[in-house]
Amino acid sequence: MVKLLFGDCKDKLKEIDSNSIDLILTSPPYANQRKNTYGGVYPDRYVEWFKPISDELYRVLKHTGTFILNIKENVIEGQRSLYVMKLVISMVDNNWIFTEEFIWHKKNSFCGKWPNRFRDSWEHLYQFNKNKKFNMFQEFVMQDACESTKNRLKNINNKNDVKNLESNSNSGLKRNMFSCVNRDKVYPTNVIHCSTSTKNKNHPASFPEYIPEFFIKLFTEKNNVVLDPFAGSGTTIKIANKLNRNCIGIELNQEYYKMIDDYFKMRI
Amino acid sequence: MVKLLFGDCKDKLKEIDSNSIDLILTSPPYANQRKNTYGGVYPDRYVEWFKPISDELYRVLKHTGTFILNIKENVIEGQRSLYVMKLVISMVDNNWIFTEEFIWHKKNSFCGKWPNRFRDSWEHLYQFNKNKKFNMFQEFVMQDACESTKNRLKNINNKNDVKNLESNSNSGLKRNMFSCVNRDKVYPTNVIHCSTSTKNKNHPASFPEYIPEFFIKLFTEKNNVVLDPFAGSGTTIKIANKLNRNCIGIELNQEYYKMIDDYFKMRI
DNA sequence: CTGCACTATGAATCGCTAA
DNA sequence: GTTAGCGATTCATAGTGCA
């Protein structure tokens, strides 16, 4: 099941049944950015703006469900805004359980140089729940034990690579990599390394596919329901659909809405 | 100059001159439920407990100086505490400028499994200043560029790099990489990776030493003064001393104090 | 099919100038 | 005064094309 709703999620969420969603995974418009395209909420009004949406999200989420919120504070006059911290505090005041903060390390962050700061290379991924007990399927997101040699492992069977390794050194590198192949998988940490997508040209802030895939596998099973109230270019619900989850997307912008709609029409 | 003070930093800080410190770099005791642990402060009293210390730190810091605060919220009954966010908000209320949040990604090898969360592998490194202008010596913490970038910068013939080019998004980003030709070092980002590996030539320091080294090089020059009001095992002031900075350490615990004192006596 | 070179671009920020 | 616009700065990664 794929359901697409066109409109402001503050209103459209009311059409969704209570306790019906297994995973909410979204990236709302950040404060005071992208004035001409999307949202454009000022930092000092952000918490107030998000409150009614947060309440609706709480209502529609199952007791075993999870809400993943992707957000990042921008710099205003040399200071990082505080609206994100205030938002988290406000959500806890409104019954949400703040279970964990994952870090999305963006490996290919923007270039640039300033006298007072380095490039911003990470974003928040807050995990909220309604209950201390919730569904979590850790075994479906296990990773290779030797993450750093993953790329080299891909080519380990290539004759040239093996030959080069053998001839180049006595380092034992080849042996080490082969031993990694047979090692058990390990659980990930709360730092997710992932580069930003460079494919999606039409949306200024689209997720790379890895992030939604990770959380959908971690927090839902097949035929569960995934919701993205700020669907944007639709990455989250496309991945959810691909992974045989039901999904609901809400999008305010007609162009983005049509893009997602067209995508699913094409696939029928 | 190495100065060691034995006692509670709330009191001992009063012995330090105003506007005399170039870098404060510390990791205060984290809030804890248990009473008898070192420094044990309850989460709901943390902000209140830190306030007089924060005020003293503000007083002793130079206008061009920086305060780096390393902290991480613990989990209490399945929830991440909010005292860290409340502390940052409180410090901004008390005149501190919240310039940046670095992420310390700890590539630790701890194993462990919990039903409701993954291994915690990062900590906050908050940067506070008294002024929007402060000393920052970025060139002293530059890192090796990745191989592909190095190769590309050797012979630029990509039209996008030579010409100014507008980005597709609204960011206004333009590129003119011509000035980067033959460069092999790049500036770091605000995500700091600490590897246990000693392979990397740029990071000869062992795991816990890299963080103070990075910030001391970034925010101070030789003969500047570095302060750690919660000196602990003394890593920060040992590194500061090694890098020819003056340093002041304050430590409440007699055992730790003696350890640091012995270390510097041995070196005379 | 592989290896290598080349191309495109992503939720950026600061400081100055003009209005 | 305040704000809006614009130039300057500078990486890492994934995808494409071609030998």
Side-chain angles (χ1 to χ4, degrees):
Chain A
M1 181 270 284
V2 178
K3 195 195 272 184
L4 268 182
L5 300 171
F6 172 54
D8 192 325
C9 67
K10 192 178 67 181
D11 309 315
K12 288 291 162 184
L13 280 167
K14 291 176 181 160
E15 301 174 12
I16 299 176
D17 289 342
S18 297
N19 305 306
S20 64
I21 304 292
D22 294 281
L23 173 65
I24 301 164
L25 176 49
T26 199
S27 192
Y30 300 176
N32 207 23
Q33 290 179 244
R34 297 284 172 272
K35 276 179 198 166
N36 301 322
T37 57
Y38 206 98
V41 183
Y42 283 85
D44 53 352
R45 291 195 180 171
Y46 201 88
V47 175
E48 174 194 343
W49 168 79
F50 197 69
K51 172 75 164 63
I53 298 165
S54 162
D55 287 345
E56 282 299 299
L57 295 177
Y58 192 89
R59 183 184 62 78
V60 301
L61 191 67
K62 285 186 193 170
H63 292 297
T64 53
T66 291
F67 173 21
I68 297 290
L69 177 68
N70 168 227
I71 199 163
K72 176 73 190 193
E73 48 272 270
N74 55 335
V75 176
I76 297 176
E77 294 178 20
Q79 297 198 64
R80 289 261 171 224
S81 302
L82 295 179
Y83 77 90
V84 171
M85 294 181 191
K86 288 175 180 170
L87 179 66
V88 174
I89 291 169
S90 155
M91 286 178 65
V92 172
D93 280 343
N94 288 279
N95 293 320
W96 286 102
I97 289 180
F98 170 36
T99 305
E100 180 60 307
E101 180 179 356
F102 291 78
I103 295 294
W104 172 15
H105 172 220
K106 299 195 285 185
K107 289 190 285 185
N108 61 336
S109 56
F110 264 73
C111 54
K113 184 185 183 302
W114 308 275
N116 58 344
R117 64 183 65 248
F118 292 134
R119 290 174 296 142
D120 186 19
S121 173
W122 64 277
E123 297 194 10
H124 305 275
L125 286 163
Y126 292 107
Q127 177 193 342
F128 295 98
N129 294 93
K130 289 173 83 166
N131 255 286
K132 282 169 192 169
K133 301 272 184 193
F134 50 86
N135 291 334
M136 193 178 197
F137 309 99
Q138 301 189 358
E139 60 273 23
F140 291 105
V141 293
M142 293 189 82
Q143 300 172 340
D144 288 332
C146 291
E147 186 63 29
S148 61
T149 55
K150 212 175 182 180
N151 288 330
R152 275 177 289 174
L153 283 173
K154 281 180 191 164
N155 300 322
I156 195 67
N157 291 322
N158 177 291
K159 284 179 185 174
N160 287 334
D161 283 351
V162 174
K163 224 192 286 178
N164 286 341
L165 283 170
E166 284 172 343
S167 60
N168 274 357
S169 72
N170 302 320
S171 68
L173 187 58
K174 193 191 76 172
R175 192 166 51 245
N176 287 340
M177 290 204 293
F178 274 123
S179 71
C180 282
V181 173
N182 296 322
R183 203 185 292 177
D184 284 338
K185 301 231 170 184
V186 298
Y187 293 102
T189 71
N190 58 1
V191 176
I192 302 173
H193 303 272
C194 179
S195 29
T196 54
S197 168
T198 52
K199 270 193 292 187
N200 200 329
K201 293 174 186 174
N202 294 313
H203 194 275
S206 68
F207 263 145
E209 295 184 357
Y210 182 75
I211 301 283
E213 188 177 325
F214 179 85
F215 287 112
I216 289 168
K217 284 179 174 172
L218 181 57
F219 291 120
T220 68
E221 298 176 288
K222 284 185 185 176
N223 297 316
N224 279 177
V225 187
V226 176
L227 166 67
D228 186 347
F230 300 95
S233 57
T235 309
T236 296
I237 53 174
K238 285 175 192 169
I239 303 291
N241 180 252
K242 205 178 75 179
L243 295 171
N244 296 310
R245 272 70 170 173
N246 297 309
C247 50
I248 305 176
I250 308 177
E251 177 51 46
L252 178 64
N253 181 297
Q254 193 162 13
E255 235 173 288
Y256 297 140
Y257 172 81
K258 195 172 175 310
M259 273 171 50
I260 310 171
D261 199 41
D262 288 347
Y263 171 86
F264 283 108
K265 275 179 187 155
M266 295 272 286
R267 289 170 62 89
I268 292 171
Chain B
M1 180 270 284
V2 178
K3 194 196 274 183
L4 268 182
L5 300 171
F6 172 54
D8 191 326
C9 67
K10 192 178 67 180
D11 309 316
K12 288 291 161 183
L13 280 167
K14 291 177 180 161
E15 300 175 11
I16 300 176
D17 288 343
S18 298
N19 305 308
S20 64
I21 306 291
D22 294 282
L23 173 65
I24 301 164
L25 176 50
T26 199
S27 195
Y30 300 173
N32 205 307
Q33 290 289 68
R34 284 165 296 174
K35 276 182 183 172
N36 296 325
T37 52
Y38 169 75
V41 182
Y42 284 85
D44 53 352
R45 291 195 180 171
Y46 201 88
V47 175
E48 173 193 344
W49 167 78
F50 197 70
K51 172 76 164 61
I53 299 165
S54 162
D55 287 345
E56 281 300 298
L57 295 176
Y58 191 91
R59 183 183 62 78
V60 301
L61 190 68
K62 285 186 192 169
H63 292 297
T64 52
T66 290
F67 174 20
I68 297 290
L69 177 67
N70 168 226
I71 199 163
K72 176 73 191 194
E73 46 273 272
N74 52 343
V75 177
I76 296 175
E77 294 178 16
Q79 297 199 62
R80 288 264 171 220
S81 302
L82 295 179
Y83 75 89
V84 172
M85 295 181 190
K86 288 176 179 172
L87 178 67
V88 174
I89 292 170
S90 154
M91 288 178 64
V92 173
D93 280 343
N94 287 281
N95 293 320
W96 287 102
I97 288 178
F98 170 36
T99 304
E100 180 62 306
E101 179 179 355
F102 291 78
I103 292 296
W104 173 10
H105 173 220
K106 302 190 288 183
K107 292 186 187 176
N108 54 14
S109 52
F110 297 146
C111 296
K113 186 181 183 301
W114 297 268
N116 58 344
R117 62 183 65 249
F118 291 133
R119 284 174 294 151
D120 188 17
S121 75
W122 66 276
E123 296 191 11
H124 305 275
L125 285 162
Y126 292 106
Q127 177 191 345
F128 295 98
N129 295 93
K130 288 173 82 165
N131 254 286
K132 281 170 193 171
K133 302 271 186 193
F134 50 87
N135 291 335
M136 193 179 198
F137 310 99
Q138 303 188 357
E139 59 274 22
F140 291 105
V141 293
M142 292 187 83
Q143 304 170 342
D144 284 335
C146 70
E147 284 306 312
S148 62
T149 301
K150 272 188 218 173
N151 287 334
R152 196 159 68 82
L153 290 178
K154 273 176 194 164
N155 27 320
I156 283 188
N157 45 19
N158 180 339
K159 285 178 186 174
N160 285 334
D161 287 331
V162 178
K163 269 192 203 170
N164 276 4
L165 185 78
E166 288 205 31
S167 165
N168 269 4
S169 70
N170 297 325
S171 68
L173 178 71
K174 295 181 180 180
R175 301 175 189 79
N176 181 354
M177 292 291 284
F178 193 72
S179 62
C180 303
V181 174
N182 288 325
R183 190 174 297 178
D184 60 350
K185 296 272 186 182
V186 298
Y187 295 100
T189 71
N190 60 359
V191 176
I192 303 174
H193 303 271
C194 269
S195 172
T196 50
S197 156
T198 52
K199 273 184 204 170
N200 195 325
K201 289 170 188 171
N202 276 346
H203 314 156
S206 71
F207 176 53
E209 293 177 356
Y210 181 69
I211 298 288
E213 186 176 325
F214 179 86
F215 287 112
I216 290 167
K217 285 180 175 172
L218 180 58
F219 290 120
T220 68
E221 298 177 290
K222 285 184 184 175
N223 298 316
N224 278 179
V225 186
V226 177
L227 166 67
D228 186 349
F230 300 95
S233 58
T235 308
T236 294
I237 53 175
K238 287 175 192 170
I239 304 289
N241 180 253
K242 204 179 75 181
L243 295 171
N244 296 309
R245 272 67 171 176
N246 298 309
C247 48
I248 305 177
I250 308 177
E251 179 50 46
L252 178 64
N253 180 297
Q254 193 161 12
E255 233 173 287
Y256 290 139
Y257 172 82
K258 193 171 178 311
M259 273 171 49
I260 309 170
D261 199 42
D262 289 347
Y263 171 87
F264 283 108
K265 275 177 186 155
M266 295 273 285
R267 289 170 61 90
I268 291 169

